[in-house]
Amino acid sequence: MGFLTLNDIHHTYFTKTSATPALRNINIDIKEGEFVSFLGPSGCGKTTLLSIIAGLIQPARGCAMLDGKNTGKTDSGIGYMLQQDYLFPWKTIEENILIGPKINGTLNHAIKTETLALLDKMELRNVLTSYPKQLSGGMRQRVALVRTLATNPKLLLLDEPFSALDYQTKLKLENLVSSTFKTFNKTAILVTHDIGEAIAMSNRVLLFSQRPGKIHKIFDVPENLRLLSPFEARHHPAYNELFQVIWKELESLEPEE
Amino acid sequence: MNPKNETEQLHLQYIKRLNKGHKQIRFYQLLIFLAFFSIWELASRKNWIDPLLFSSPSKIWELLQTKLTDGSLAANLGITLTETVLGFILGTLLGTCLAALLWWSPLLSKILDPYLVVLNAMPKIALGPILIVALGPNLTSIVAMGAIISIIITTIVVFTSFREVDHNYLKVLQTFGATRFQCFKEAVLPASFPTIISTLKVNVGLSWVGVIVGEFLASSKGLGYMIIYGFQVFDFTLVLLSLLIIAVFATLMYQAVELLEKKLIKNG
C-alpha cells in the first residue's frame, strides 16, 4: 500500500435534470516523495479528483487514504495550490503566508522564522509589508507556494498553478517548484493539460479520459529525465519521444467525444 | 541639461498642471456656491420669489445667530444628531449581523428570502405610528425609526456581497482546515468591506430620513421638530435654516464614513 492510496473512487454530479458521472474506478497508489501528474482534456474530472483527495468533497464511493488515514479529516496535512495565486488582497504578504499556521493554530515563533526563511529562499525580499497587488504574477505565485508550504504539508496538490503565468515565468517557476519539492522530499500531484509540463516535472504521468473521467493510461517518465531540472528535461531527446507518445494517445481519445 | 534633471523638470511641470486643474475645479465650485446664495438673496429682496416662502440667506443667517445665542439650536441639533448617529450605527450593525446569520445558515437564508423581499419593498416610514405608540414618543422610538429604515436593505446588500466572495478564497482556507467562523473572519468579511462601506454611505442619508420623519410624528425637540414647528407657524426661515443645518451635518457624517473607508481598506 502506497503513501497515498485512492481506492475505487466514483463520483457523480447531480442537477435537477441530470446526473453526470464525473469519475469512475479511480485506483492509484502514490509513493512518498513521488511527483505525479494528472493529464487530460478539460472536463475529465481532474480537479474533482483533486478536491476529493484534499477532502473538500466526499466521493460517492471509495476513499482516499493518506498515510493510512482518510483525507476527509481536518488536519490532513495536504497543501493545495490553485490556478491563480488567490492571495488575500487585504492582507500583507507576511499575513498571507502565515495564514495556514494561524488557521490551524500552530503559529509560533519557530514556524514564523522558518516560513520567512522560505520566502527568502524564493528570492522574495522586502515584500513582507507589501500587498499582493504590488507584486508581479510570478512573485505572487511564489508567495502562494510559500503559503502552501508554511503548514509543512505531507502532500501537495497543484491545480494548474502555472497556467495563468507568462511562458518565461512559468519555466522558471517549474524549476523552482521542482527543486524545492526535491529538497524537502515532498509528495505532489500536478493537474495540468500541458503535456510538456507533465513530462518535465513528474515521475509518472496519468492520462485521463473524459466522461466519465477514468485513468486511461499511465506513463513512467524515464529515470534520466527525472534527474534533470524541468528546464533541462525539456531539451533532452527522451522528452520529445515521450511527448510524441502521449500526444498520440491524447489524440486517440478525442473521437470519443 | 542631463537626463535626470530633465525628468525632474517634467515631473515638476506635471505637478504644476495637476495643481492648476485642481484650483480650477475649486474655483468653479466656490463660484456656484456664492452665485446660488447671492441670487437667492437678490431674488428675495427684489420680490422675484415669494420672500415669505423662500425667505433669504440674510434672514436665515440672522435667525441662526439668535438661535445660537439662546442655545436652542445646539440643543435641538444635539438631539437629532445623537438619534441619527445611533440609528445609523444600529441599522448598519444589525443589518450586517443579520447578513452574517443568513450566510452562516443557507437554510435560514432560503426560508427568510421572501420575507426579506416583502420587508424591503414595504415603506418602513409607515411603521412610524406603531413604533411611537409601542416605544413611546421619545428618543428610543426615533432611533428605532432611523435604524429600521436601513436595516433590511443593509441585510440584503451585505448578504449578497458575502455570497459573492470568490469561492476559491474559501477553498484556500478550507485546505488549511478552517472552520466556518474562520472562513468568515479571514475571507468573507474583509472581502465585503468595500460593499459594507458603500452601504454605510447610503445609510447616512436613510437614517436622516428616518429620524426627521420620526421627529415630525412625535417629537417636541430636534431639527425635524423645528421644521414641523416652522411649517405650522408659517416661519419658513426656520424651516430652511433646519434644512441647511441638516445638509451640513449629513455631509460631515458622509465625510466621516469616507475617512473610515480609507482606514479600513488599506489595499485600495
Side-chain angles (χ1 to χ4, degrees):
Chain A
M1 199 158 131
F3 178 63
L4 174 73
T5 311
L6 304 185
N7 200 354
D8 195 27
I9 287 181
H10 284 61
H11 196 66
T12 311
Y13 280 120
F14 297 106
T15 66
K16 231 178 203 171
T17 51
S18 67
T20 318
L23 292 167
R24 278 285 171 279
N25 267 326
I26 306 289
N27 288 292
I28 309 172
D29 266 327
I30 294 173
K31 292 190 286 291
E32 189 161 13
E34 203 178 4
F35 196 118
V36 175
S37 287
F38 291 177
L39 186 68
S42 36
C44 70
K46 293 170 294 189
T47 300
T48 306
L49 184 57
L50 222 50
S51 295
I52 289 174
I53 297 172
L56 295 174
I57 43 181
Q58 279 297 317
R61 212 170 83 195
C63 64
M65 308 281 278
L66 179 69
D67 223 358
K69 270 182 281 183
N70 205 316
T71 58
K73 308 271 177 295
T74 45
D75 247 5
S76 52
I78 291 176
Y80 201 125
M81 253 181 104
L82 296 151
Q83 276 161 17
Q84 283 157 44
D85 51 78
Y86 285 105
L87 297 177
F88 299 101
W90 52 86
K91 288 181 187 292
T92 61
I93 299 304
E94 182 174 3
E95 288 168 337
N96 261 296
I97 58 173
L98 293 174
I99 186 78
K102 186 182 168 194
I103 290 288
N104 64 25
T106 55
L107 186 59
N108 57 33
H109 192 74
I111 286 192
K112 190 174 168 179
T113 323
E114 212 174 288
T115 310
L116 296 187
L118 195 59
L119 196 68
D120 219 43
K121 210 175 154 273
M122 303 278 167
E123 284 166 23
L124 291 160
R125 293 183 182 89
N126 305 320
V127 294
L128 281 183
T129 52
S130 307
Y131 286 94
K133 72 191 265 187
Q134 295 167 278
L135 271 56
S136 72
M139 288 166 91
R140 293 169 58 131
Q141 199 56 289
R142 273 182 280 160
V143 174
L145 179 63
V146 174
R147 174 173 71 182
T148 312
L149 290 171
T151 48
N152 195 19
K154 288 185 271 187
L155 173 68
L156 283 131
L157 306 175
L158 313 173
D159 190 356
E160 300 187 33
F162 313 117
S163 59
L165 302 169
D166 60 83
Y167 193 63
Q168 202 188 355
T169 313
K170 166 188 149 114
L171 290 182
K172 277 190 196 164
L173 210 57
E174 280 179 11
N175 271 357
L176 181 71
V177 167
S178 179
S179 66
T180 310
F181 287 10
K182 269 180 192 152
T183 318
F184 295 109
N185 192 33
K186 293 285 183 201
T187 315
I189 298 173
L190 172 73
V191 160
T192 182
H193 49 240
D194 178 341
I195 305 173
E197 188 174 281
I199 300 171
M201 295 203 67
S202 33
N203 308 9
R204 262 196 296 167
V205 179
L206 273 57
L207 184 62
F208 280 71
S209 60
Q210 59 185 349
R211 280 177 211 130
K214 53 181 185 288
I215 299 171
H216 179 74
K217 209 158 188 176
I218 298 175
F219 301 92
D220 279 307
V221 177
E223 186 71 33
N224 49 359
L225 273 187
R226 288 185 211 171
L227 295 173
L228 298 174
S229 76
F231 187 77
E232 290 164 334
R234 282 172 189 268
H235 297 95
H236 197 279
Y239 167 89
N240 277 322
E241 234 170 81
L242 187 55
F243 192 101
Q244 292 302 331
V245 175
I246 297 180
W247 174 261
K248 288 203 182 94
E249 203 60 54
L250 254 176
E251 284 221 303
S252 77
L253 285 176
E254 280 194 0
E256 281 179 30
E257 261 185 65
Chain B
M1 193 157 45
N2 69 44
K4 196 183 167 200
N5 248 331
E6 203 177 323
T7 320
E8 272 170 18
Q9 282 291 330
L10 285 171
H11 189 211
L12 278 177
Q13 277 172 19
Y14 169 77
I15 290 173
K16 226 176 184 176
R17 270 202 308 277
L18 213 65
N19 280 338
K20 203 178 155 201
H22 207 67
K23 267 186 197 149
Q24 212 174 11
I25 290 167
R26 282 273 179 257
F27 171 75
Y28 282 112
Q29 285 172 336
L30 197 67
L31 190 72
I32 290 173
F33 181 81
L34 291 175
F36 176 74
F37 284 100
S38 328
I39 292 169
W40 183 3
E41 180 71 38
L42 188 71
S44 175
R45 287 198 185 183
K46 297 268 183 198
N47 265 319
W48 296 340
I49 54 175
D50 186 349
L52 178 70
L53 193 57
F54 292 103
S55 189
S56 74
S58 57
K59 275 195 254 169
I60 294 173
W61 180 249
E62 272 167 40
L63 185 65
L64 175 68
Q65 308 236 288
T66 5
K67 291 270 175 197
L68 277 177
T69 33
D70 70 11
S72 63
L73 182 67
N76 283 322
L77 176 63
I79 287 162
T80 305
L81 211 54
T82 315
E83 290 163 346
T84 310
V85 171
L86 279 178
F88 164 73
I89 292 173
L90 219 61
T92 313
L93 222 58
L94 287 177
T96 308
C97 288
L98 202 55
L101 190 70
L102 293 181
W103 179 84
W104 191 270
S105 162
L107 179 68
L108 186 69
S109 78
K110 277 179 200 142
I111 293 171
L112 291 185
D113 182 63
Y115 296 101
L116 280 176
V117 172
V118 170
L119 283 175
N120 184 46
M122 187 184 65
K124 265 70 66 181
I125 295 291
L127 287 174
I130 299 168
L131 278 179
I132 286 157
V133 176
L135 301 171
N138 50 35
L139 191 102
T140 322
S141 64
I142 292 170
V143 170
M145 283 284 286
I148 211 166
I149 199 168
S150 57
I151 200 166
I152 300 296
I153 189 70
T154 305
T155 307
I156 291 176
V157 173
V158 174
F159 175 55
T160 309
S161 143
F162 282 170
R163 254 193 335 197
E164 278 168 6
V165 171
D166 193 328
H167 198 77
N168 284 312
Y169 284 127
L170 302 181
K171 202 169 174 179
V172 168
L173 293 175
Q174 278 160 3
T175 57
F176 291 128
T179 60
R180 205 160 163 76
F181 175 72
Q182 280 172 324
C183 285
F184 182 76
K185 185 171 148 265
E186 301 291 344
V188 173
L189 187 62
S192 303
F193 274 155
T195 312
I196 293 176
I197 292 286
S198 51
T199 336
L200 284 178
K201 287 178 180 170
V202 176
N203 288 355
V204 168
L206 285 177
S207 305
W208 278 99
V209 174
V211 164
I212 296 296
V213 171
E215 287 182 349
F216 279 3
L217 290 176
S219 190
S220 53
K221 291 182 286 284
L223 293 172
Y225 167 73
M226 274 168 66
I227 291 175
I228 277 291
Y229 177 77
F231 160 64
Q232 280 164 352
V233 300
F234 247 64
D235 181 358
F236 283 95
T237 310
L238 185 62
V239 174
L240 284 165
L241 173 68
S242 316
L243 203 66
L244 286 176
I245 290 170
I246 290 171
V248 169
F249 280 89
T251 311
L252 286 179
M253 260 175 90
Y254 193 88
Q255 297 286 338
V257 171
E258 284 201 326
L259 214 69
L260 182 74
E261 179 175 25
K262 280 198 188 117
K263 281 209 119 150
L264 214 54
I265 303 171
K266 284 169 277 183
N267 62 313

